[in-house]
Each structure stands twice: as C-alpha cells, then as structure tokens.
Amino acid sequence: MPESSPETHVIDFRAAEQLLAARDPRGAIQLLDSVITAHPENTAARLLRARAFFLAAQLRPAELEFQIVLEREPDNAFAHFALGRTLERADRSKEALRHFRLAAALEPRPEFIEAARFAPETGNNAPTQDPDDPDRDPE
C-alpha cells in the first residue's frame, strides 16, 4: 500500500465528494476515514463524512460527526440544519427543532426557515401556522 501524503489526502477528499454526489456514501466514508485519521482537525472532512453517514442511514455516527463540527464551528448553519435532519430522522423531533431554529437564525435560507417552523407536537412534521395569518382556518 502506498504511503499517505497530504496530496493523497486531498485526492481522497475530492474523490469522496464525487462519490457522495454519485450517491455512494459508503465509498465516501471509506476514503474519508483515512483523511480524518491523518487530519482529525479537518472540519471540512468531518462535515463531509457526517453527510455520508447520514446518507448511509448511519444516524448515530452522523450525529456525532455533526456535533464535532459544531463544537469547532458553533455558527455553522448547515451543520445545525443537517444535525436537525439527522435527529428528525431518528424520531427526536424536539431536539431537531432546536437545531433547525439555530440554522435559520444563523442563515435565513428558505429550507432552514421552513424547517424551523416544524411543529413536533403535531406528530406529522407539519409547519406551524402563524396565528396572524389571514388564510388560517377560523377556530
């Protein structure tokens, strides 16, 4: 096996991005494991591996990776949003809502704002309705 170098880690990272885009999260995880072993401080690699874990339905490892990213970058709106999706998928809606709201507050992208209106108490992931909305049903 050839020795790893910074150049091979960059190549592995880029290849992992391509594998993830091609919907091969397990292949991406394999490549990223060596990159993260060599560079555990690399937040971009951890974020990519978290996304790969999520797509591979490995929710606990995804959650842990997203948490590591957020420990290092607490203002990373995408990591909050992705952690929210991970928690939501694991039926932990209340915890997910907190991260959706943080994502929307940090970066008001439409998908973040929509997720932040998630109503866990309805049990059907429906957006909450604004009580001032004139189109809402009368009570």
Side-chain angles (χ1 to χ4, degrees):
M1 181 175 198
E3 270 194 48
S4 293
S5 68
E7 292 82 15
T8 60
H9 294 141
V10 170
I11 291 167
D12 286 347
F13 179 84
R14 296 294 177 213
E17 287 179 318
Q18 294 301 312
L19 286 171
L20 204 56
R23 299 304 230 187
D24 181 2
R26 287 178 174 81
I29 291 166
Q30 285 182 319
L31 289 174
L32 291 166
D33 285 345
S34 65
V35 173
I36 291 171
T37 297
H39 305 282
E41 75 290 344
N42 188 321
T43 304
R46 287 194 176 274
L47 186 58
L48 190 61
R49 186 165 72 169
R51 291 177 47 218
F53 280 136
F54 178 82
L55 289 174
Q58 296 180 29
L59 301 181
R60 185 64 182 147
E63 178 184 350
L64 294 172
E65 286 292 339
F66 285 128
Q67 287 174 342
I68 290 170
V69 170
L70 289 170
E71 284 173 13
R72 296 174 183 179
E73 297 178 4
D75 61 342
N76 187 319
F78 177 79
H80 278 291
F81 176 75
L83 178 56
R85 286 286 182 232
T86 303
L87 295 168
E88 178 182 62
R89 197 167 170 190
D91 288 331
R92 294 164 57 195
S93 301
K94 201 173 238 181
E95 293 172 77
L97 181 59
R98 177 179 176 270
H99 290 284
F100 289 147
R101 288 182 176 167
L102 285 167
L106 289 166
E107 190 176 324
R109 291 170 41 180
E111 64 270 26
F112 295 177
I113 292 170
E114 184 178 333
R117 291 188 179 133
F118 172 77
E121 50 279 343
T122 66
N124 65 0
N125 298 352
T128 57
Q129 203 164 24
D130 184 346
D132 296 328
D133 182 356
D135 295 330
R136 75 181 173 101
D137 292 329
E139 296 173 346

